[in-house]
Amino acid sequence: MELLEQRIQKDGLVKAGNVLKVDSFLNHQIDISLLNEIGKEFKRLFADTKINKILTIEASGIAIAAIVAQYFDVPVVFAKKTQSINLDGSVYTTKIQSFTHQRVYDVIVSKKYLSPDDHILVVDDFLANGCAVEGLIDIIQSSGATLEGVGIIIEKGFQDGGKRLREKGIRVESLAIVDAMDAATGQITFRH
Ligand code: 5GP
C-alpha cells in the first residue's frame, strides 16, 4: 500500500533490536484518515470472504480493528492480557511471548464472544515472529470458529512469522512488508 509505505518512510523510526517505531501515526498518536484507508484496503483484499467478526489483541490492536471493522460492518473482539488466569472455564486462554516487552502474557477471550459459527479476520499492527497472531489463532481453534485470514499493517519480512503462517496455509495480507531496516542509517526498504 503506497500511502502506508510513504508514511513509514517519512515518519517511521528504526530502533536497535529490529524495532520500528511508528508512534506518530499508529502506536501512540493515531492518524485516523490513514486508518480509514487501511480499513478500505483490508475490505478490498478480503472481499471474497464472509467475515462476521474481527479479532485482535490489546492494546494497539484495538483502535486499528475498530476502524477496520466499520468497513466490514462487524463487531471487534479483543484478546485481553491478564495476570490472573480464570479457572472457571468461561474463557479461552493462551500464552503469548511479547516481542516488544520481552515477556510472556496470559491472554484470554471470553467464550461468550467466539463460537463455531464465527468467521474471523485477525487484525494486528505488526507481524514479527508471529507469536501474537499464533496465540490468537490458538484461541480461534479452541472456540471452533473459522479463521478466514490475517490482516497486518506492517510485516517485518526479515523475521519469520509471516513465512511460518503462510506455510501453514493461512492467508496473510500485509499492507507493507519491510524487507530490511538499518538502525544506524535509518534506511527502510520494502518488499513488493
Ligand atoms: P510477534 O508476536 O509477531 O513477534 O510481534 C507482533 C507484536 O509485537 C505486535 O502486536 C506488535 O505490537 C509488537 N511488535 C513487533 N515488532 C514491532 C515493531 O518493530 N514495532 C512495534 N511498534 N511493535 C512491534
Side-chain angles (χ1 to χ4, degrees):
M1 187 180 169
E2 185 64 32
L3 184 69
L4 176 63
E5 289 186 9
Q6 285 169 3
R7 190 60 178 273
I8 296 167
Q9 286 289 13
K10 183 167 151 286
D11 293 331
L13 295 173
V14 184
K15 300 286 180 189
N18 283 336
V19 174
L20 178 61
K21 293 288 267 185
V22 287
D23 280 7
S24 66
F25 62 95
L26 198 60
N27 286 144
H28 195 11
Q29 173 169 261
I30 302 174
D31 181 336
I32 299 299
S33 38
L34 177 66
L35 270 194
N36 277 312
E37 294 309 312
I38 285 169
K40 286 180 207 166
E41 183 62 4
F42 280 136
K43 177 65 187 169
R44 189 184 70 77
L45 291 166
F46 289 102
D48 58 322
T49 60
K50 44 172 186 172
I51 287 158
N52 75 327
K53 208 166 268 185
I54 290 181
L55 179 66
T56 189
I57 181 163
E58 66 179 1
S60 45
I62 299 175
I64 295 160
I67 301 276
V68 172
Q70 295 187 92
Y71 294 91
F72 289 83
D73 199 18
V74 299
V76 171
V77 176
F78 62 93
K80 296 187 175 203
K81 294 170 182 162
T82 175
Q83 306 288 351
S84 54
I85 275 292
N86 180 323
L87 294 174
D88 69 4
S90 64
V91 294
Y92 301 112
T93 74
T94 194
K95 287 188 188 297
I96 293 180
Q97 164 83 45
S98 163
F99 178 80
T100 37
H101 299 119
Q102 308 264 307
R103 53 165 288 195
V104 177
Y105 289 99
D106 286 307
V107 166
I108 60 155
V109 173
S110 167
K111 290 186 177 174
K112 282 192 275 192
Y113 306 125
L114 283 181
S115 78
D117 297 335
D118 287 327
H119 291 260
I120 310 287
L121 174 64
V122 167
V123 165
D124 204 4
D125 54 352
F126 275 88
L127 178 60
N129 296 322
C131 299
V133 169
E134 279 173 354
L136 294 177
I137 292 172
D138 188 32
I139 282 176
I140 291 169
Q141 284 170 345
S142 308
S143 75
T146 305
L147 172 66
E148 293 289 344
V150 178
I152 296 292
I153 299 186
I154 305 171
E155 175 176 341
K156 291 185 292 179
F158 52 87
Q159 293 177 268
D160 70 352
K163 182 166 175 280
R164 269 219 315 281
L165 293 169
R166 291 183 183 99
E167 277 172 1
K168 287 188 207 162
I170 294 164
R171 178 168 175 189
V172 182
E173 301 280 5
S174 298
L175 303 188
I177 302 183
V178 175
D179 231 353
M181 55 189 208
D182 187 329
T185 62
Q187 202 177 4
I188 302 169
T189 52
F190 295 98
R191 182 180 306 169
H192 291 115

